[in-house]
Amino acid sequence: MIKTCVRRLAAPLATALAASLLVAAPAPAGAAEGRYAADIRRTEYGIPHISAKDHGGLGYGYGYAFAEDNLCVMASWALTLRGERSRHFGAEAMSDDAVDPVSNLASDVYYKSVHASGVLRRVLARPAPHGPGAEVRALVDGYVAGFNRYLSETGVAGLPDPACRGKDWVGPITATDVWMNLLDLGRLAGSSSFKEAIAASGQEEEEAKQPDRKKKVSAPGSNAYALGREATRSGHGMLLADPHFPWNGSRRFYQVHLTIPGVLDVSGGSLYGTPMVQIGHNASVAWTHTVSHAQRFTLYRLKLVPGRRTTYLVDGRPEPMGRQEVSVTVRDAGGATRAVTTTLYTSRYGPVLATGWTEGTAIALADVNAANLRFADEWLAMGTARDLAGLRRAQDTYQGMPFVYTLAADAGGETYFADASVVPHVTDEQADRCRAGDDPEMLILDGSTSACLWGEDADAIEPGVFGPAAQPRLARADYVTNANADPWLTNPEAPLTDYPRIFGDTRTQRDLRTRVGLDMIAQRLSGDDGLGAPGFTLDTLRRTATGKRNLSAELLRPDLRALCRARPVMTASDGEKVDVRRACATLTAWDGRARLDSRGAILWREFFLGLHRPQRRPDGGVIPPRSWWKVPFDPEHPLTTPRGLDLANPAVPAALADAVRLFRANDLPLTLTPGQAQWYGAVPVPGCTEAEGCFDRIRARGALGEEGRYADVDTGSSFLMAVELTPSGPRARTVLTYSLSANSTSPHHADQTELFSRGRWVTGRFTEAEIRAYPGLTTVSLR
């Protein structure tokens, strides 16, 4: 039975509500004044299928549907993007950034500085492809109007989510908020990771610190398979998407199906606050992303003019730093507010950081995505591609992917991998010539000479970035894969090596997640995984992806069993003798997986993670870690090395003895399972950590608690999508691990989480017939 509900706002009511709500937020920037129309149909688990006759209407329906499910998250994130958290929640509280939380004051200063810089205004003033195209602008304006319509209808006091019901900080969003969200998404692996260092750039107490950001990428991770006709039993293209994004906050995925008849028909995962699909499929193409290892920024060491702390030299000529006054309103514990003003400094390269600032030098940040919104048009264009050639044209046209690899397959059975992301144009020669520091993990260039500015490519969309010809790319009829490693072994039969070092390394050790992912493909293609005849089907693709293998156990457990037989009593890190026989028996009987009922999986984790902890001497000093691998890494055998346990290394028995003592001290069973130790709210969660070599990995911050539980899972497999592209249309299976709604009272707050817990998937509904066939279909028509 189809239930149809048509909602029409009475004009006087809408006007009154809008007037009362606009007090809480600035007027919408650039929102369209035209009419919008959209239909929102929901199938199982609340998944919305939105259709409209144009992009403005599509955004309108999407914004409305998203607000129904997640208004509170977006309302809070809008405050963050405006730099207004300290006004409402105090300066010392932590921000709501799920990837890199900082104090509200640091967050506010950073975002206020972005607004004050005028970068968003300048980008929006540019024509496509450098600035957003008309279709994306219409999507954004419609999204804002739809979101705000739901809020007007419901009212702040009537919101269903108790997290923000009746709160004075809830109000309409603006087009500026959505554009800022997109800009911030692009900066996720660059400027956004340096909020504190940017926000404190003018503070004297920071001068003596050195740069401490050693991560290449601070963004989340992912897994991906693109399978071609030579790897699938049907000869069709298939794709596995397994992004590992946060389970809370504004960087979650929202599952949605967007349709403009004859123009766009795309289904998949869309990050909160973005009105387009980032990971998904249409009728003949499917694509996904994993986080690229390419560098998104370079640091420049500035040579300061003696005695002039805010003037630096370039080619021997002095240049004064730009000065930016940023004022943030702060609420104290008593409710009173005051203004806090911070002075920030900028250079020709970008913001000057608080870290590394001395009397003679300073450090500036050059972010390649500082003014990039091109990816919005690129994702929209990818959604309309009919084959991989069309997808590649979209990427070459906009050249805007901010920090991700792209893996795709089409109905013809072709596959494609590319690091088509925006990468600073720093050649190997320039990196060697201009390096201004000896830290191999931190690319700091000499800012005192213009010869160290980023270079240019003739095929690049703008100066300072590498063009498509320089990017690592691979097209295959069997498969391409990535699990956040460098492009080198995208397919071991055709290693990628001919690219600048700034894109990533070659012939270096692969992490265990990458190795297990490649081994899973190899075993499926040979039929040695116990799942039937060789080659992938949609069913075996799903079963492979969620098999819960633990590669560290597969590589190390045989040697550990030998150690157990030889030494039933082992010495802990503090010298205590510990009987480990029961622990050894538990690990021997363990199934080697991370299923809900895998008895011994948590004991293994505590042992394995203990191998990485530094040992302490009796005098309190730290013993430098020594490799406990028996066979070291060999670049000629990257998929099978390192392996084995060095039983002569005292860290090995100490790690097991320490793990046993932890369980005994807290009276925990050695057979503790993931289903007992790992939860998301009230739902037990299977899986294990990336370090252990788990493909569909999860993460829970902090140590194992005394009660035998970790903190709630906060990151891991998020939007799982397996798609087969057949001549009669796509066959998709999906599961949104944390479910569709952040509202704790929603029926869709944990329904898919329970599916994920039990290893089940949702059958995708893409065609009109499939959507109409759902017996509980509901429709909301917005006019």
Side-chain angles (χ1 to χ4, degrees):
M1 176 181 181
I2 299 178
K3 303 175 183 177
T4 302
C5 176
V6 179
R7 300 183 181 179
R8 300 180 182 273
L9 278 178
L13 176 59
T15 302
L17 282 170
S20 66
L21 290 168
L22 283 173
V23 175
E33 297 297 330
R35 296 175 180 270
Y36 296 111
D39 290 326
I40 305 168
R41 294 180 292 176
R42 291 189 184 258
T43 54
E44 51 263 81
Y45 305 99
I47 297 170
H49 304 258
I50 299 161
S51 59
K53 65 180 180 180
D54 53 34
H55 289 83
L58 192 65
Y60 188 61
Y62 188 6
Y64 190 97
F66 180 78
E68 287 184 299
D69 294 315
N70 294 294
L71 185 140
C72 290
V73 176
M74 189 63 190
S76 176
W77 186 238
L79 295 182
T80 302
L81 296 168
R82 297 170 191 162
E84 296 180 356
R85 297 197 66 80
S86 298
R87 176 197 296 269
H88 296 280
F89 309 118
E92 300 302 320
M94 297 301 286
S95 71
D96 61 346
D97 190 327
V99 176
D100 188 23
V102 297
S103 73
N104 281 339
L105 182 58
S107 176
D108 289 345
V109 170
Y110 170 77
Y111 286 108
K112 289 278 191 182
S113 74
V114 175
H115 281 283
S117 72
V119 61
L120 187 58
R121 180 183 67 253
R122 292 192 296 273
V123 176
L124 292 177
R126 301 186 72 186
H130 300 280
E135 293 173 342
V136 169
R137 293 175 192 266
L139 270 175
V140 168
D141 290 340
Y143 185 90
V144 170
F147 185 98
N148 290 342
R149 171 171 173 172
Y150 173 78
L151 181 59
S152 296
E153 285 183 352
T154 310
V156 175
L159 290 172
D161 190 344
C164 69
R165 182 191 305 134
K167 303 297 185 182
D168 61 1
W169 48 266
V170 178
I173 62 171
T174 71
T176 298
D177 295 330
V178 177
W179 290 120
M180 274 291 292
N181 183 43
L182 288 166
L183 185 71
D184 192 61
L185 174 61
R187 293 174 165 213
L188 192 61
S191 302
S192 189
S193 295
F194 287 83
K195 293 188 190 77
E196 290 173 301
I198 292 172
S201 69
Q203 298 180 17
E204 298 286 338
E205 63 266 25
E206 296 291 332
E207 291 177 9
K209 293 184 179 179
Q210 295 299 315
D212 55 4
R213 290 282 182 175
K214 295 185 180 290
K215 297 182 292 183
K216 285 185 178 181
V217 174
S218 62
S222 306
N223 299 321
Y225 288 170
L227 305 170
R229 57 182 176 272
E230 295 177 4
T232 64
R233 293 181 63 186
S234 65
H236 303 148
M238 293 185 187
L239 182 110
L240 172 74
D242 181 16
H244 297 167
F245 266 55
W247 281 30
N248 300 290
S250 60
R251 298 302 182 202
R252 300 207 321 174
F253 281 99
Y254 186 76
Q255 188 172 358
V256 68
H257 182 189
L258 302 174
T259 303
I260 303 174
V263 176
L264 178 71
D265 195 8
V266 61
S267 182
S270 171
L271 291 169
Y272 279 23
T274 65
M276 69 283 298
V277 167
Q278 283 87 36
I279 290 175
H281 69 88
N282 56 32
S284 55
V285 178
W287 74 92
T288 187
H289 301 292
T290 61
V291 173
S292 162
H293 265 234
Q295 191 123 345
R296 304 299 149 195
F297 61 88
T298 63
L299 301 178
Y300 279 94
R301 176 163 291 162
L302 308 181
K303 182 179 181 180
L304 303 181
V305 174
R308 298 166 65 183
R309 184 175 181 267
T310 59
T311 303
Y312 59 99
L313 295 169
V314 179
D315 297 334
R317 292 186 294 272
E319 288 189 13
M321 293 180 186
R323 182 184 175 98
Q324 190 181 54
E325 299 287 337
V326 175
S327 183
V328 172
T329 300
V330 174
R331 180 187 298 272
D332 63 24
T337 60
R338 60 186 175 89
V340 174
T341 300
T342 303
T343 301
L344 308 183
Y345 293 92
T346 62
S347 69
R348 63 158 62 190
Y349 307 105
V352 179
L353 306 181
T355 52
W357 201 331
T358 70
E359 289 300 319
T361 62
I363 300 293
L365 171 69
D367 183 352
V368 76
N369 284 305
N372 176 25
L373 288 175
R374 298 188 303 277
F375 52 83
D377 285 274
E378 189 169 336
W379 274 316
L380 189 61
M382 288 166 61
T384 66
R386 296 184 178 183
D387 52 27
L388 292 187
L391 185 141
R392 289 194 294 269
R393 282 195 298 273
Q395 295 206 310
D396 290 349
T397 297
Y398 294 101
Q399 299 180 31
M401 284 294 104
F403 55 83
V404 290
Y405 300 127
T406 300
L407 296 93
D410 66 13
E414 298 288 339
T415 71
Y416 167 70
F417 166 88
D419 191 348
S421 61
V422 189
V423 178
H425 193 293
V426 179
T427 65
D428 295 350
E429 180 278 330
Q430 186 183 26
D432 294 337
R433 170 170 49 84
C434 292
R435 186 174 289 276
D438 56 5
D439 187 340
E441 297 185 43
M442 183 70 73
L443 183 56
I444 304 178
L445 303 179
D446 183 359
S448 68
T449 171
S450 57
C452 294
L453 290 169
W454 296 343
E456 299 183 27
D457 273 349
D459 62 339
I461 194 169
E462 62 184 18
V465 302
F466 281 106
Q471 296 168 346
R473 297 190 178 201
L474 184 63
R476 301 278 297 183
D478 53 358
Y479 72 89
V480 291
T481 181
N482 186 264
N484 305 126
D486 309 289
W488 177 36
L489 296 182
T490 293
N491 185 308
E493 297 298 317
L496 292 169
T497 57
D498 189 18
Y499 50 83
R501 286 198 308 266
I502 198 167
F503 280 92
D505 297 326
T506 62
R507 296 177 61 81
T508 55
Q509 184 172 321
R510 304 293 92 175
D511 64 25
L512 293 181
R513 177 158 61 95
T514 292
R515 288 174 59 185
V516 76
L518 286 166
D519 188 60
M520 285 157 48
I521 291 178
Q523 289 198 25
R524 181 80 299 268
L525 295 184
S526 67
D528 293 334
D529 57 3
L531 297 180
F536 282 93
T537 65
L538 189 58
D539 179 62
T540 58
L541 176 57
R542 292 187 298 117
R543 293 168 66 188
T544 297
T546 55
K548 304 293 183 289
R549 283 180 59 183
N550 185 315
L551 186 60
S552 65
E554 295 173 19
L555 295 174
L556 303 178
R557 196 162 49 153
D559 286 333
L560 184 64
R561 285 199 290 262
L563 181 64
C564 284
R565 288 192 297 269
R567 298 170 63 179
V569 176
M570 299 184 188
T571 305
S573 56
D574 65 355
E576 181 184 346
K577 302 295 184 181
V578 178
D579 187 331
V580 298
R581 284 175 293 183
R582 287 183 54 210
C584 290
T586 297
L587 293 177
T588 297
W590 170 43
D591 63 9
R593 306 275 175 152
R595 302 184 177 108
L596 285 180
D597 59 353
S598 293
R599 296 161 60 88
I602 302 303
L603 175 62
W604 176 268
R605 180 181 309 172
E606 292 302 313
F607 158 70
F608 182 75
L609 297 182
L611 291 173
H612 298 75
R613 298 187 185 108
Q615 302 294 308
R616 293 195 173 275
R617 297 193 302 264
D619 61 2
V622 175
I623 302 174
R626 180 178 116 208
S627 175
W628 36 262
W629 290 106
K630 180 166 59 178
V631 179
F633 171 69
D634 180 353
E636 300 302 321
H637 302 282
L639 302 184
T640 56
T641 61
R643 64 178 182 271
L645 267 177
D646 176 9
L647 301 185
N649 188 331
V652 175
L656 183 57
D658 287 346
V660 171
R661 289 200 307 174
L662 170 67
F663 277 71
R664 288 179 180 171
N666 295 306
D667 197 25
L668 301 176
L670 295 172
T671 56
L672 190 68
T673 66
Q676 295 168 321
Q678 298 172 170
W679 296 76
Y680 182 70
V683 181
V685 177
C688 50
T689 64
E690 179 170 24
E692 294 170 83
C694 291
F695 186 74
D696 47 334
R697 61 100 172 177
I698 53 89
R699 182 187 70 187
R701 295 182 189 271
L704 183 65
E706 295 180 358
E707 72 287 356
R709 284 183 59 168
Y710 296 103
D712 265 16
V713 171
D714 67 351
T715 303
S717 295
S718 48
F719 174 62
L720 282 160
M721 180 181 74
V723 185
E724 181 178 12
L725 301 161
T726 77
S728 59
R731 298 174 57 226
R733 303 291 185 268
T734 65
V735 62
L736 190 63
T737 58
Y738 34 68
S739 304
L740 198 69
S741 176
N743 174 8
S744 61
T745 68
S746 168
H748 306 304
H749 178 66
D751 51 357
Q752 289 198 59
T753 311
E754 293 172 355
L755 284 184
F756 175 69
S757 177
R758 300 195 301 271
R760 296 174 59 189
W761 299 58
V762 180
T763 299
R765 296 181 184 272
F766 185 77
T767 67
E768 185 66 19
E770 289 169 340
I771 295 169
R772 288 181 175 273
Y774 177 58
L777 187 70
T778 63
T779 301
V780 172
S781 295
L782 301 174
R783 300 289 183 267

